[in-house]
Amino acid sequence: PYSPPLYSHPAVRSAYRKLTSEHVMDVLKNILNYPEKIKRIDRFLTVALYNSAFTFTTSTFSGFEHNLGMTMI
């Protein structure tokens, strides 16, 4: 079974502090564009917001799937 990587608390806190309103809007836009692919909204938001701090592109899903090596949750 898949085991997600563990990140240190300071690293995660640092990533979330980098978020701007543009990051949040991008993640929300992806929720509206791909609602059928999201099964666990809490996990999606956690991962998508974390990844958006590092991979702010027009598609959060590309970084989301690539970085975790998994399909949508």
Side-chain angles (χ1 to χ4, degrees):
Y2 175 76
S3 177
L6 298 177
Y7 298 101
S8 70
H9 188 74
V12 173
R13 182 178 289 183
S14 174
Y16 283 129
R17 285 187 176 150
K18 293 178 185 177
L19 296 178
T20 65
S21 60
E22 288 82 16
H23 292 97
V24 175
M25 292 303 292
D26 187 55
V27 170
L28 293 175
K29 180 180 69 174
N30 283 308
I31 289 173
L32 294 174
N33 289 337
Y34 304 101
E36 69 282 351
K37 293 186 176 188
I38 302 169
K39 294 184 179 27
R40 295 278 313 264
I41 190 69
D42 56 333
R43 289 185 183 179
F44 171 80
L45 287 173
T46 301
V47 173
L49 286 169
Y50 178 82
N51 283 343
S52 72
F54 304 104
T55 59
F56 185 63
T57 63
T58 56
S59 175
T60 301
F61 288 103
S62 61
F64 174 76
E65 289 182 318
H66 176 71
N67 289 343
L68 292 181
M70 59 186 285
T71 59
M72 296 292 163
I73 48 178

